[in-house]
Amino acid sequence: MELISMDSISQREIQYLKNNNNTGIEFEYALFYLLSSEKKRNAFMNDIIIYHEFKDRILKIISDTDISLLNTSLNIHSWSNFDPLLATQVDDIGPADIVLRKENSQDLGLSIKYQNNCTLNVSSKYFLSINSVIKLKNELHSACENYINEMNSTFGSVNNWFRQRKNSIETEKYIDKIRDFVINDWNNKTTKEKKELLSKLVHADSPINFWVVKFVNTKNGFNLEIKTNPIKTILPESVTLTKEVTSYIGFKSNNIMFAKMQVKFNNGIIEKQKGNNYDFVNEGVGMKKGDPFGSWNFSI
């Protein structure tokens, strides 16, 4: 998908935007609307927003959001005249969700967040060695069995706990073990490997400059927090990884935390069976082992 401009939007792009219900898309659409000219607002509203599944939510965010601070920051940095472009799922533009383009083709990206600072969903493969993954996978089956026994003992019938997000000591133990491996593997990386990974985590290779714009819900509506100079370079030799509360790993530079990463199962330690494939059966309910090696949340 290419950058989308309301000046040259195609029917295929309109259909794509109407059907896009990715997490947080309502904030991207609301801010895009608020940054657009009146003519483009009308087109975006009539062609896309009123047909969208999250229409009411988008309209609510539009009416409740004050962008005066963002406008002031843009003016200070000489960004008063621009054309906003939607960059939803354009992977080669860095972390930007919206791109502001000047007539001279100079671009500024806006990475949009809501109530969090997650900058990247990163695969465990960047942190765990092949040997570490093999060892952890070998222990996953028994960890799932221990989880099932814990849930049966604590909550009784499978209908009282399965897929209900119950707190679990066994899940915490397994995630804690993953964190041990992550920290150990980090300590064994070369300086070059650490530098490459840190560059990926902070989007140091973004082809355009970008700001981070965070929606913050208050009793008076949404305020925007703007980082016009997000972290983009870190000395790898200064970085240490530490265990933080719950399932987080802290990233510290000279003992000052600059980021956190949540180690987690993609969809819980135990998932529903897929077709006739299952790893466990409990009271006639088929279950599969969860996936702790997919996507983790990295936040600056």
Side-chain angles (χ1 to χ4, degrees), residues 122-141:
V122 62
S123 170
S124 64
K125 69 180 181 181
Y126 294 106
F127 292 94
L128 294 172
S129 68
I130 294 174
N131 287 336
S132 293
V133 172
I134 291 172
K135 291 176 182 178
L136 287 164
K137 283 186 174 180
N138 287 339
E139 297 185 31
L140 181 56
H141 191 93

Side-chain angles (χ1 to χ4, degrees), residues 21-31 33-34 45 49-65 113-115 215-218 221-222:
N21 58 2
N22 289 342
T23 301
I25 196 68
E26 60 269 38
F27 292 95
E28 296 177 28
Y29 284 7
L31 187 56
Y33 175 90
L34 290 168
M45 178 68 71
I49 293 178
I50 63 173
Y51 298 105
H52 199 276
E53 177 184 356
F54 303 152
K55 178 191 73 173
D56 293 340
R57 176 73 167 150
I58 296 169
L59 294 176
K60 178 69 172 172
I61 296 169
I62 289 172
S63 65
D64 289 356
T65 299
K113 311 296 175 188
Y114 169 59
Q115 301 286 67
F215 281 78
V216 180
N217 200 357
T218 73
F222 294 103

Side-chain angles (χ1 to χ4, degrees), residues 1 4 8-19 47-48 51:
M1 183 62 67
I4 297 175
S8 57
I9 192 167
S10 67
Q11 284 302 314
R12 180 180 67 87
E13 290 170 334
I14 289 174
Q15 198 62 36
Y16 167 76
L17 294 177
K18 288 197 297 187
N19 295 330
D47 291 342
I48 293 152
Y51 298 105

Side-chain angles (χ1 to χ4, degrees), residues 31-266:
L31 187 56
F32 178 77
Y33 175 90
L34 290 168
L35 290 170
S36 297
S37 65
E38 183 176 357
K39 179 182 177 180
K40 293 174 183 176
R41 284 184 178 187
N42 291 336
F44 192 58
M45 178 68 71
N46 295 328
D47 291 342
I48 293 152
I49 293 178
I50 63 173
Y51 298 105
H52 199 276
E53 177 184 356
F54 303 152
K55 178 191 73 173
D56 293 340
R57 176 73 167 150
I58 296 169
L59 294 176
K60 178 69 172 172
I61 296 169
I62 289 172
S63 65
D64 289 356
T65 299
D66 179 5
I67 67 166
S68 57
L69 180 60
L70 177 57
N71 283 331
T72 298
S73 296
L74 290 169
N75 287 330
I76 290 173
H77 291 83
S78 301
W79 277 93
S80 55
N81 295 306
F82 55 79
D83 181 28
L85 310 172
L86 275 170
T88 303
Q89 292 189 313
V90 181
D91 295 332
D92 59 357
I93 203 69
D97 300 299
I98 294 173
V99 172
L100 309 184
R101 175 164 291 171
K102 288 185 178 180
E103 290 183 358
N104 60 3
S105 295
Q106 184 180 357
D107 291 338
L108 172 66
L110 301 181
S111 178
I112 301 167
K113 311 296 175 188
Y114 169 59
Q115 301 286 67
N116 70 77
N117 296 309
C118 182
T119 57
L120 187 69
N121 293 318
V122 62
S123 170
S124 64
K125 69 180 181 181
Y126 294 106
F127 292 94
L128 294 172
S129 68
I130 294 174
N131 287 336
S132 293
V133 172
I134 291 172
K135 291 176 182 178
L136 287 164
K137 283 186 174 180
N138 287 339
E139 297 185 31
L140 181 56
H141 191 93
S142 61
C144 291
E145 287 183 329
N146 293 339
Y147 169 83
I148 292 171
N149 292 333
E150 176 193 11
M151 292 295 104
N152 285 334
S153 175
T154 305
F155 300 106
S157 172
V158 66
N159 293 327
N160 294 334
W161 57 265
F162 184 51
R163 307 302 301 158
Q164 294 185 35
R165 296 180 179 272
K166 300 293 187 182
N167 291 331
S168 164
I169 294 173
E170 295 300 329
T171 302
E172 291 174 0
K173 284 181 180 178
Y174 188 79
I175 288 177
D176 195 54
K177 190 168 296 185
I178 294 176
R179 295 196 296 170
D180 286 334
F181 276 87
V182 168
I183 292 172
N184 183 68
D185 286 348
W186 172 266
N187 292 335
N188 288 326
K189 289 182 184 295
T190 65
T191 298
K192 180 181 178 182
E193 289 172 332
K194 291 179 179 178
K195 182 178 180 180
E196 289 175 351
L197 180 50
L198 288 168
S199 294
K200 177 180 180 63
L201 294 173
V202 300
H203 298 285
D205 59 350
S206 175
I208 64 171
N209 186 32
F210 67 90
W211 295 356
V212 176
V213 179
K214 179 180 176 181
F215 281 78
V216 180
N217 200 357
T218 73
K219 63 180 181 180
N220 296 319
F222 294 103
N223 290 335
L224 299 182
E225 291 182 357
I226 300 114
K227 290 184 179 179
T228 60
N229 190 29
I231 295 173
K232 294 174 186 174
T233 56
I234 305 165
L235 292 175
E237 56 269 25
S238 73
V239 176
T240 56
L241 271 55
T242 58
K243 288 184 183 178
E244 301 301 326
V245 292
T246 62
S247 60
Y248 286 91
I249 290 175
F251 289 70
K252 296 181 179 179
S253 177
N254 297 320
N255 293 319
I256 299 175
M257 188 180 301
F258 65 89
K260 292 194 299 184
M261 180 172 69
Q262 184 185 26
V263 176
K264 64 182 180 65
F265 284 85
N266 274 7

